């Protein structure tokens, strides 16, 4: 699914934009299923910022996307054939998002796919990256400069303003999908109070003892994020876990999720 040039771009800069991945017909389905999930999420909480899983039977297209070869094929090429599909979520974003990384432990690895339901540019909330910041020494140096958090424990205060940091702004249209490494520094600026971001996470299957420990620790991080965002519904809907179509890739993921405690053992 990827050219060697695209692979090199991702490994060098930490992100890749997949243009027009979804067809107009698929976008209609995405909008319809998003509205179903949004209705449930809004009934669950009064918060302006919303987060919910789309792995239920009411949103079959969203639930199938992690297994779509256009998505999982890219993840397997970039992070190994045994990479694990973790989520298919929606978020209602509000305002700016400060510079941050999605990797809290240096031995935890993965990648995210995001797509938006509105056209975005640098003035209305487009995702922006600091190219190459998924690698050291730049990654840790940016924590000191951008976040003023030299300890890396999250206790630092926000440093440089979003617009003061040189960055690549990912201008996108509905149908485009952005793939990026968890470790890259990213942010958004100028977003409206009702910006829709859909996402899928893939975790690298850990090999070393440090990676295994970091992956188990990520369970606590995920639970904390869902708690802070007051996420609606379970992370893994029982219907998705039942794997009614008998998809072998999904079943491998489910077995892995149970092994690491993300899903309770049957």
């Amino acid at each position: 699914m990827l050219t060697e040039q695209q692979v090199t771009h991702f490994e060098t800069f930490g992100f890749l934009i997949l243009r027009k991945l979804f067809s107009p017909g698929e976008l209609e389905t995405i909008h319809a299923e998003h509205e179903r999930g949004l209705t449930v999420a809004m009934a669950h909480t009064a918060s302006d910022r919303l987060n919910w899983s789309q792995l239920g039977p009411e949103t079959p297209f969203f639930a199938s996307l992690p297994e779509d070869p256009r998505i999982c094929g890219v993840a397997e090429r970039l992070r190994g054939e045994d990479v694990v599909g973790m989520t298919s979520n929606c978020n209602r974003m509000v305002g700016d998002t400060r510079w941050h990384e999605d990797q809290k432990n240096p031995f935890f690895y993965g990648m995210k796919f995001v797509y938006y339901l509105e056209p975005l540019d640098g003035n209305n909330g487009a995702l922006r990256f600091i190219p190459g910041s998924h690698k050291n020494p730049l990654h840790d140096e940016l924590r000191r400069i951008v976040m003023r958090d030299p300890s890396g424990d999250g206790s630092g205060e926000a440093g440089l303003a979003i617009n003061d940091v040189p960055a690549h702004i990912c201008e996108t249209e509905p149908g485009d999908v952005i793939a990026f490494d968890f470790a890259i520094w990213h942010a958004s600026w100028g977003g409206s109070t009702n910006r829709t971001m859909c996402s899928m996470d893939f975790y690298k299957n850990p090999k070393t003892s440090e990676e295994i420990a970091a992956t188990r620790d990520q369970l606590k991080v995920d639970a904390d994020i869902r708690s802070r965002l007051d996420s609606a519904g379970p992370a893994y809907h029982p219907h998705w876990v039942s794997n009614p179509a008998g998809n072998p890739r999904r079943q491998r993921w489910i077995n892995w999720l149970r092994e690491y405690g993300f899903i309770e053992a049957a």
Side-chain angles (χ1 to χ4, degrees):
M1 297 296 294
L2 294 180
T3 66
E4 289 300 326
Q5 184 179 16
Q6 287 176 309
V7 172
T8 300
H9 187 284
F10 185 90
E11 297 297 349
T12 302
F13 300 115
F15 68 96
L16 185 66
I17 305 176
L18 306 170
R19 299 289 184 189
K20 298 182 179 180
L21 192 73
F22 298 131
S23 70
E26 288 173 325
L27 284 174
E28 290 183 8
T29 300
I30 287 171
H31 277 278
E33 292 192 359
H34 165 263
E35 288 303 311
R36 292 176 208 154
L38 177 62
T39 299
V40 174
M42 291 181 67
H44 173 77
T45 178
S47 174
D48 289 335
R49 180 168 182 173
L50 302 174
N51 170 273
W52 67 95
S53 172
Q54 292 274 86
L55 292 178
E58 301 83 6
T59 54
F61 186 75
F62 273 87
S64 70
L65 276 179
E67 300 154 23
D68 190 311
R70 295 171 297 177
I71 302 296
C72 66
V74 171
E76 291 171 355
R77 177 75 184 277
L78 295 173
R79 289 297 172 260
E81 292 185 358
D82 57 352
V83 70
V84 179
M86 299 293 295
T87 63
S88 183
N89 290 349
C90 282
N91 299 265
R92 185 173 72 181
M93 313 297 289
V94 177
D96 301 338
T97 304
R98 74 174 196 168
W99 288 107
H100 66 288
E101 57 186 320
D102 288 350
Q103 179 193 54
K104 303 304 180 184
N105 185 307
F107 293 102
F108 173 70
Y109 304 99
M111 63 180 296
K112 183 185 292 285
F113 295 81
V114 301
Y115 53 103
Y116 299 87
L117 303 191
E118 308 87 15
L120 295 179
D121 59 28
N123 295 316
N124 68 345
L127 192 61
R128 54 184 69 198
F129 298 110
I130 303 177
S133 62
H134 59 307
K135 296 181 179 181
N136 275 321
L138 179 58
H139 180 85
D140 288 347
E141 183 69 6
L142 284 169
R143 180 179 288 110
R144 183 182 68 82
I145 296 173
V146 177
M147 297 301 299
R148 295 177 185 165
D149 184 21
S151 67
D153 64 1
S155 61
E157 298 180 356
L160 295 176
I162 295 170
N163 272 356
D164 288 341
V165 179
H168 179 87
I169 298 170
C170 298
E171 296 187 4
T172 56
E173 295 288 335
D176 297 340
V177 177
I178 306 169
F180 64 92
D181 190 293
F182 280 166
I184 195 171
W185 287 93
H186 55 288
S188 64
W189 181 84
S192 70
T193 58
N194 190 22
R195 188 169 77 258
T196 302
M197 182 188 79
C198 307
S199 64
M200 291 168 280
D201 286 355
F202 285 78
Y203 290 3
K204 177 182 178 292
N205 190 24
K207 300 298 192 297
T208 69
S209 58
E210 293 89 351
E211 291 177 356
I212 291 172
T215 300
R216 294 192 183 282
D217 286 344
Q218 187 64 26
L219 173 61
K220 302 173 185 177
V221 174
D222 288 358
D224 178 64
I225 291 173
R226 288 185 58 80
S227 175
R228 285 190 288 107
L229 294 176
D230 194 18
S231 298
Y236 300 101
H237 194 283
H239 183 268
W240 185 85
V241 175
S242 72
N243 193 13
N247 185 294
R249 180 183 278 107
R250 184 191 295 190
Q251 192 59 53
R252 177 173 62 82
W253 295 349
I254 292 168
N255 295 342
W256 186 98
L257 289 163
R258 284 182 172 141
E259 177 185 354
Y260 280 88
F262 291 87
I263 296 176
E264 292 186 7

